[in-house]
Amino acid sequence: MATTAEQTSTFSARHWHNQDSQAALDQLKSGREGLSREQAKKRLVEYGANQLPEVNTKSPWIRFLQQFNNVLIYVLLVAGAGTLLLNHLVDASVIFTVVLLNALIGFIQEGKAEDALRKIRQMLSPSAEVVRDGHHHAIDARELVPGDIVQLHAGDKVPADLRLIAVKGLQIQEATLTGESVAVEKNTASVSSNAVLGDRRCMCFSSTLVTHGQGLGVVVCTGAHTEIGRISHLVSQVHTTTTPLLRQMAQFGRWLSMAILVIAVINFIFGLWIHQYTAADMFLASVSLAVAAIPEGLPAIMTITLAIGVQRMAKRNAILRKLPAVETLGAVSVICSDKTGTLTRNEMTVHSAATAEHVFEFEGTGYNSRGGILYEGRETDAEQRPVLWKMLHAGVLCSESALEQGENIHQLQVVGDPMEGALLVAGLKAGLEADTLNGQYPRSDLIPFDSEHRFMATLNHGHHSEASILLKGAPENVLRMCSWQKTASGDLHKIEPDYWLKKLEEFAAQGQRVLAIAMKPVHKNQRTLNFSDVETGMIMLGLFGLIDPPREEAIRAVSRCHQAGISVKMITGDHAATAKAIARQLKLTNPEQALTGEQLMAMDIDELRSLVDSIDVYARVDPEHKLQLVQLLQERGYIAAMTGDGVNDAPALKRADVGIAMGMNGTEAAKEAAEMVLADDNFASISHAVEEGRTVYDNLKKAILFILPTNGGEALIVLAAVLLGFNQLPLTPVQILWVNMITAVTLALSLAFEPPEANVMRRAPRDSQQPLLSPLLIWRIAFVSVILATGTISLYLWELRAGQSIEVARTVAVNTLVMFEIFYLFNARYILASVLNIQGLLGNRFVLYAIALLVVFQIAFTYLPPLNALFGTAAINFAQWLSIILVSSSVFILVEFEKFILRRLNNI
């Protein structure tokens, strides 16, 4: 069997689109009668089956074990080991349960990445109609070999990459490969060797869909060497990037682990040498210090906060497949968006109409019948405009498509060609119903659209014995068939090609697809329509300009992204003029410059690297270009989000920091390669998701800013006890674990429900390279830790000097620490802003629920005998509670004063 390299050098490396069809047949040693069965068998052995390689996936056990390869999990395991050393099996069980739950969540959420390749394999055609030994046969598509002659019909899925040798009205939907919104007309003419996929009209590619006509092609590439096979290989080779949060948490975990280890060792040595404690006592104290310093609840809080973000996003049509992607969205600094269906409606709309004397504009967008017809900015009655009226008649009658009722009375759905559907909707805006019009002017014959002659014509008869040929098609072709043009007065003038070509250029420059409309009266007894009837003597009525308009909400969302410091780049398979026209309407930063796939191919990497910052529009691009652009943007320091719907987008979706697939029109391959799926295929949902992502990151920072002072205060308490030579620790390890876990589950968790701050989408994206803990956060953690430790130790010593037992003193210490956290929770809701207002104190009802729940827990901790026995606590009186509340409330006052000073210093 030929190796991959051998087949690549033999067939797949050739520019088949650059050769004429006979040259391709000669190269493949084939002909129109096809291969013989013996040749096909030999080639099947030589080149292998026409299927994509099986995906090499990791076993479930390996993927499950990899979920533990995380610094945060290591920290939790250390905490669990510490509690085991202290012989507290219940506490160790709780910690190890948290570890297991984290691993299970990761396994379930992220274990489907390999499915992207499986979904691509499922896109291949199961069967093919092939010519062998001069006869047609239906065979399993896996048996196709280079040189086979394949027959294509409407509705077929192309079974391999083909060089076309004959076509008849062949149109193929290639959106999954090129992103182009409308079906492509195919022909047999060769094109430039550096033509991008969307311009290779003489080629058909595996997995694309035949929507119209017939074709005959020779197989040039099979299996892994097809375009879809090449994309599958790209997907398998692309390595996903680590999310900014995980990078920051890994850095934070390393820093925290090292700090804890150093302090614990210093603590052990100091107590052993200075205070002459026994090694066993100091080992217990050092383990207590480590348990105090480790934020056991942080990974669980992080996971829950991300999960809450996922739920919030789902309500706004953004479905997250991977938890870390929630936070990554908040760091996004550039969004590379597909055009069709995401920034635009994916609904063709008649935007303009030009007659020999006037230009009209049509209001409304998409398949919505509401909207007027304007002339010079004012609404006009189409019936009073004879030529426009006749154009609209012809557009409705010369059609093979239909409209169906959509969600509301004005919203319609097109059955058939989108451009014909747009003409039908334009007719409705003038009051022309297709069914009524077809009844008044029944069709007696037609010439169907064909990619060779590029027009459609119908012969219609009226009830007043009149008959007309109505024709629509490519303007260049229609102009050659016209001898006259109709004026508003009803007169016929000799055709003026220069005028029409100028209007064609104007419409094209605005990104509009242009259809020409012509007609010709014939004798009332004519019942058949031939090509000779339309070759000359046609009367030019006008041009329709059609466009897939941008979504109104997308325009607003792009503006919102710009306010948030996020660059928006449009990457599309459509033509450059269309892309720039849409970019202008969307108000992209630089809508006047566009790079095409051909230009990208001609550029060296350094030249492209220098342009990616400034160019916002990329047109007629191939899959490698999308992947390359994402990689270059990431090299420039951007956190890149990439949208896509086709299998051609899968490599770039997988590589991007956040891959965003379309839920309504996207392929399964794109969805499996992405981290997020848009349920409504709407760009506006991305901006909402970015807002949620930023809110999630803010809430994580608030949770960390709340949790770490608790651990810092506990560690300082243990450290101070050793340094000051206390006979017994103010807090036991099991009490420390109680405080850490119970406050994390209640108080810290409530911060995950914080609503977005007012300025969340008016600030620049955060620097993903900055550490999780900024100097401000480190200062706040140290400041609050000292307050908590000082107040707790003071009340502990006060109780001992008052003659209370060690159990009572420790109970007061634990409750003081918990009450400190309750008061500090209000401070933590805003990092710098004051909470001394109604919104700051009562704006998050979950904070109030958490406090009430924690108070119940602490009452049980203090007064229930079983818990007294388990945690070594004792009941305390009202006076002790009063002193606890008075001391612990100091943190609220001191932190709010500190915020005030910082706001003054920073002029906030």
Side-chain angles (χ1 to χ4, degrees):
M1 184 181 293
T3 64
T4 299
E6 287 170 346
Q7 192 186 21
T8 299
S9 64
T10 305
F11 287 155
S12 59
R14 297 187 188 280
H15 294 295
W16 298 105
H17 53 280
N18 190 225
Q19 302 182 36
D20 63 41
S21 57
Q22 188 56 51
L25 287 169
D26 293 342
Q27 291 283 356
L28 293 161
K29 296 182 175 58
S30 184
R32 287 178 177 257
E33 72 283 355
L35 301 174
S36 68
R37 291 187 179 184
E38 289 72 22
Q39 286 177 306
K41 285 181 181 179
K42 287 180 181 179
R43 293 192 183 188
L44 186 61
V45 172
E46 186 177 358
Y47 297 112
N50 177 33
Q51 61 185 15
L52 299 184
E54 288 287 346
V55 182
N56 293 321
T57 59
K58 297 173 184 174
S59 72
W61 277 110
I62 295 296
R63 286 195 286 112
F64 178 71
L65 291 175
Q66 284 182 333
Q67 304 304 316
F68 295 90
N69 186 24
N70 183 303
V71 174
L72 289 174
I73 299 300
Y74 299 156
V75 171
L76 275 180
L77 291 173
V78 169
T83 54
L84 277 177
L85 289 173
L86 296 170
N87 206 28
H88 292 289
L89 300 179
V90 173
D91 304 303
S93 299
V94 171
I95 295 173
F96 289 132
T97 299
V98 171
V99 171
L100 184 61
L101 286 174
N102 273 321
L104 285 172
I105 290 171
F107 178 76
I108 293 168
Q109 291 287 338
E110 301 181 21
K112 298 180 180 179
E114 296 88 354
D115 285 350
L117 297 176
R118 293 197 192 95
K119 296 299 181 182
I120 291 176
R121 295 183 82 250
Q122 292 170 8
M123 294 181 68
L124 301 183
S125 176
S127 62
E129 182 180 338
V130 65
V131 180
R132 286 183 180 170
D133 292 320
H135 299 287
H136 288 252
H137 303 276
I139 66 170
D140 189 320
R142 291 176 298 180
E143 297 176 12
L144 282 177
V145 295
D148 263 330
I149 303 299
V150 172
Q151 180 76 51
L152 298 175
H153 303 277
D156 288 349
K157 187 176 282 188
V158 180
D161 284 5
L162 311 177
R163 172 59 168 93
L164 290 168
I165 57 179
V167 296
K168 186 173 183 181
L170 184 64
Q171 295 183 19
I172 295 188
Q173 177 56 260
E174 296 182 337
T176 58
L177 275 180
T178 66
E180 190 166 0
S181 55
V182 296
V184 179
E185 300 171 19
K186 294 294 182 177
N187 56 51
T188 59
S190 59
V191 294
S192 167
S193 60
N194 63 347
V196 296
L197 284 179
D199 291 333
R200 298 177 190 176
R201 299 299 177 92
C202 59
M203 300 287 296
C204 292
F205 301 107
S206 178
S207 82
T208 58
L209 184 67
V210 180
T211 59
H212 188 273
Q214 298 178 344
L216 193 69
V218 58
V219 175
V220 295
C221 295
T222 59
H225 302 284
T226 60
E227 285 299 320
I228 194 171
R230 193 167 53 82
I231 293 169
S232 177
H233 178 70
L234 280 176
V235 172
S236 67
Q237 296 299 307
V238 169
H239 298 289
T240 55
T241 57
T242 305
T243 69
L245 177 65
L246 293 182
R247 289 198 296 269
Q248 290 175 321
M249 293 304 286
Q251 182 184 26
F252 167 71
R254 288 191 295 271
W255 173 84
L256 183 62
S257 301
M258 185 59 67
I260 290 171
L261 179 61
V262 169
I263 294 172
V265 170
I266 292 172
N267 178 70
F268 180 84
I269 294 172
F270 186 90
L272 202 63
W273 286 1
I274 303 300
H275 290 299
Q276 306 300 312
Y277 290 131
T278 65
D281 287 343
M282 283 316 303
F283 179 76
L284 185 64
S286 296
V287 169
S288 298
L289 177 63
V291 170
I294 293 172
E296 293 89 354
L298 184 56
I301 292 299
M302 185 179 83
T303 301
I304 293 168
T305 304
L306 293 176
I308 291 169
V310 167
Q311 291 179 335
R312 282 179 171 176
M313 288 183 187
K315 293 177 181 177
R316 305 184 81 172
N317 296 312
I319 313 301
L320 269 294
R321 296 182 60 251
K322 300 180 180 180
L323 280 183
V326 180
E327 175 278 329
T328 311
L329 277 162
V332 162
S333 52
V334 61
I335 300 173
C336 300
S337 178
D338 189 23
K339 174 181 72 69
T340 305
T342 308
L343 292 168
T344 65
R345 301 175 63 89
N346 197 19
E347 295 177 353
M348 297 302 293
T349 304
V350 173
H351 183 267
S352 310
T355 65
E357 297 160 301
H358 306 115
V359 176
F360 302 92
E361 290 185 8
F362 287 73
E363 292 182 314
T365 58
Y367 304 137
N368 191 308
S369 59
R370 288 183 295 188
I373 302 173
L374 307 180
Y375 175 65
E376 295 183 345
R378 295 183 178 180
E379 191 161 349
T380 186
D381 184 353
E383 198 168 355
Q384 302 304 314
R385 303 283 182 173
V387 184
L388 176 64
W389 187 245
K390 194 66 180 175
M391 279 180 69
L392 291 166
H393 272 73
V396 173
L397 291 168
C398 188
S399 173
E400 292 281 80
S401 301
L403 298 175
E404 290 183 349
Q405 193 63 54
E407 296 177 358
N408 59 59
I409 190 170
H410 296 289
Q411 192 64 38
L412 302 163
Q413 294 176 339
V414 172
V415 180
D417 183 77
M419 297 179 76
E420 289 188 342
L423 296 180
L424 296 178
V425 172
L428 284 176
K429 292 175 182 177
L432 298 175
E433 292 274 358
D435 290 342
T436 303
L437 212 55
N438 280 304
Q440 293 173 346
Y441 300 94
R443 179 188 304 175
S444 57
D445 201 5
L446 86 158
I447 298 174
F449 181 88
D450 188 285
S451 58
E452 292 186 9
H453 55 250
R454 303 188 70 197
F455 69 82
M456 173 186 174
T458 63
L459 176 60
N460 297 75
H461 290 75
H463 294 316
H464 300 290
S465 300
E466 76 273 25
S468 299
I469 297 172
L470 305 175
L471 182 145
K472 75 173 191 305
E476 300 89 341
N477 294 41
V478 175
L479 278 173
R480 287 196 294 268
M481 303 157 72
C482 290
S483 305
W484 313 95
Q485 61 190 40
K486 199 172 189 66
T487 65
S489 62
D491 297 332
L492 295 182
H493 288 185
K494 190 173 178 59
I495 188 76
E496 298 177 20
D498 290 343
Y499 168 81
W500 295 108
L501 290 173
K502 181 182 177 182
K503 289 299 176 188
L504 173 61
E505 289 175 4
E506 288 176 4
F507 282 6
Q510 296 168 19
Q512 299 181 51
R513 298 175 185 270
V514 185
L515 279 176
I517 303 291
M519 60 86 64
K520 180 180 181 181
V522 294
H523 194 276
K524 63 181 181 179
N525 294 327
Q526 182 173 339
R527 294 291 168 180
T528 59
L529 188 58
N530 301 303
F531 280 97
S532 58
D533 296 322
V534 298
E535 286 175 350
T536 59
M538 298 295 295
I539 301 167
M540 184 72 167
L541 295 176
L543 301 174
F544 278 123
L546 301 93
I547 197 166
D548 179 13
R551 297 173 182 261
E552 290 297 326
E553 61 270 31
I555 297 173
R556 294 192 295 270
V558 168
S559 173
R560 199 160 176 251
C561 286
H562 287 162
Q563 287 179 354
I566 301 169
S567 175
V568 179
K569 298 184 184 294
M570 184 167 68
I571 304 177
T572 177
D574 221 329
H575 293 277
T578 303
K580 287 195 288 186
I582 296 298
R584 284 190 287 270
Q585 295 179 63
L586 289 166
K587 298 181 181 177
L588 297 189
T589 305
N590 179 16
E592 301 305 326
Q593 285 183 283
L595 283 180
T596 64
E598 287 193 23
Q599 291 172 315
L600 292 173
M601 287 162 114
M603 283 183 183
D604 62 48
I605 192 69
D606 292 328
E607 186 180 1
L608 180 55
R609 186 180 286 113
S610 68
L611 291 173
V612 291
D613 280 337
S614 58
I615 300 296
D616 290 337
V617 182
Y618 298 87
R620 305 300 278 171
V621 293
D622 283 347
E624 292 95 332
H625 301 144
K626 295 186 178 186
L627 177 60
Q628 186 180 50
L629 288 170
V630 169
Q631 290 172 327
L632 289 177
L633 287 167
Q634 289 173 331
E635 283 181 20
R636 302 283 289 179
Y638 288 95
I639 300 298
M642 171 78 192
T643 76
D645 54 5
V647 64
N648 62 317
D649 298 317
L653 290 174
K654 186 177 176 184
R655 172 67 194 190
D657 297 284
V658 182
I660 304 170
M662 302 300 107
M664 295 172 66
N665 296 314
T667 62
E668 289 302 313
K671 294 174 189 176
E672 292 296 339
E675 285 82 16
M676 185 171 94
V677 178
L678 293 183
D680 58 355
D681 290 11
N682 192 337
F683 183 86
S685 296
I686 301 175
S687 70
H688 297 323
V690 169
E691 179 184 10
E692 291 293 347
R694 291 187 173 192
T695 301
V696 164
Y697 187 76
D698 283 353
N699 292 349
L700 281 172
K701 275 205 308 185
K702 292 171 184 177
I704 290 169
L705 195 57
F706 175 77
I707 289 173
L708 291 189
T710 303
N711 298 107
E714 291 167 346
L716 283 178
I717 290 168
V718 175
L719 193 59
V722 173
L723 295 178
L724 297 175
F726 287 10
N727 292 326
Q728 298 189 73
L729 295 176
L731 302 171
T732 66
V734 71
Q735 290 171 346
I736 291 171
L737 278 173
W738 165 268
V739 173
N740 287 353
M741 297 306 292
I742 205 68
T743 55
V745 169
T746 55
L747 302 185
L749 183 57
S750 69
L751 293 173
F753 295 93
E754 281 292 310
E757 293 190 4
N759 68 337
V760 70
M761 287 299 281
R762 292 198 298 272
R763 62 192 191 212
R766 73 175 194 277
D767 184 354
S768 63
Q769 300 302 315
Q770 285 187 345
L772 190 61
L773 296 182
S774 64
L776 169 62
L777 297 190
I778 292 173
W779 154 252
R780 177 71 55 76
I781 290 166
F783 179 60
V784 176
S785 296
V786 169
I787 295 172
L788 267 60
T790 302
T792 302
I793 290 175
S794 297
L795 280 183
Y796 169 76
L797 293 176
W798 178 274
E799 294 299 324
L800 287 180
R801 287 172 184 163
Q804 297 290 344
S805 66
I806 187 66
E807 288 79 16
V808 170
R810 283 174 170 168
T811 304
V812 169
V814 170
N815 280 300
T816 302
L817 194 56
V818 170
M819 290 304 298
F820 264 128
E821 293 194 59
I822 287 175
F823 281 105
Y824 176 57
L825 179 64
F826 290 100
N827 302 119
R829 289 197 60 214
Y830 301 145
I831 294 174
L832 273 180
S834 172
V835 297
L836 295 174
N837 52 64
I838 296 296
Q839 181 63 27
L841 296 175
L842 305 176
N844 183 350
R845 69 180 187 277
F846 294 100
V847 166
L848 305 179
Y849 298 159
I851 290 172
L853 183 62
L854 183 56
V855 168
V856 173
F857 282 141
Q858 284 307 117
I859 290 173
F861 175 84
T862 305
Y863 296 106
L864 287 182
L867 294 182
N868 293 154
L870 180 62
F871 292 102
T873 56
I876 58 177
N877 58 40
F878 177 77
Q880 290 165 321
W881 275 113
L882 189 60
S883 63
I884 288 170
I885 292 171
L886 287 172
V887 169
S888 59
S889 63
S890 63
V891 71
F892 179 83
I893 299 167
L894 291 172
V895 172
E896 285 304 303
F897 181 70
E898 177 244 8
K899 286 186 190 179
F900 173 76
I901 298 298
L902 289 175
R903 289 198 299 272
R904 293 290 295 271
L905 291 175
N906 292 282
N907 295 316
I908 298 177

